Amino acid sequence: LSRAYDILEPRFVESVLPEEGHGLLSTRASWTKLLMTLPKQANSVAAKLEEKWGSKRDTTTPEEKWDELKTALLAFIGKSGNSKA
């Protein structure tokens, strides 16, 4: 699985995240939809990211948003001790 992740994640970042791809993290509507899919236990993560990304001062790219999402969820899982979060 680790090898597959290492191969597929860069393609996901190139093809799915940007507006030129599927636009998963390119607009407020798309990232809000994604954040709503997080489990209820991670609502605090979703709320913080929604607030940051929705700020007029936020200039993060879809790839940067992806990295922030991964980092925030890993930190959340580490704090909660819940790998199913």
Side-chain angles (χ1 to χ4, degrees):
L1 282 177
S2 179
R3 182 172 178 267
Y5 179 83
D6 291 342
I7 292 169
L8 294 174
E9 190 197 23
R11 287 174 175 78
F12 174 80
V13 169
E14 290 173 9
S15 302
V16 178
L17 299 181
E19 194 169 353
E20 301 80 34
H22 293 276
L24 185 64
L25 292 174
S26 63
T27 67
R28 183 179 205 129
S30 63
W31 76 63
T32 299
K33 189 183 262 187
L34 173 69
L35 293 173
M36 289 175 52
T37 67
L38 298 179
K40 289 180 185 178
Q41 299 92 324
N43 279 349
S44 62
V45 171
K48 286 179 187 175
L49 292 174
E50 176 71 34
E51 182 179 346
K52 180 187 181 304
W53 296 344
S55 166
K56 290 182 181 184
R57 290 191 264 171
D58 184 69
T59 59
T60 54
T61 65
E63 183 176 357
E64 291 167 332
K65 284 178 174 67
W66 177 246
D67 288 336
E68 290 176 357
L69 176 60
K70 290 188 307 180
T71 299
L73 288 173
L74 287 172
F76 173 76
I77 290 168
K79 285 179 187 174
S80 69
N82 185 358
S83 62
K84 294 182 182 180

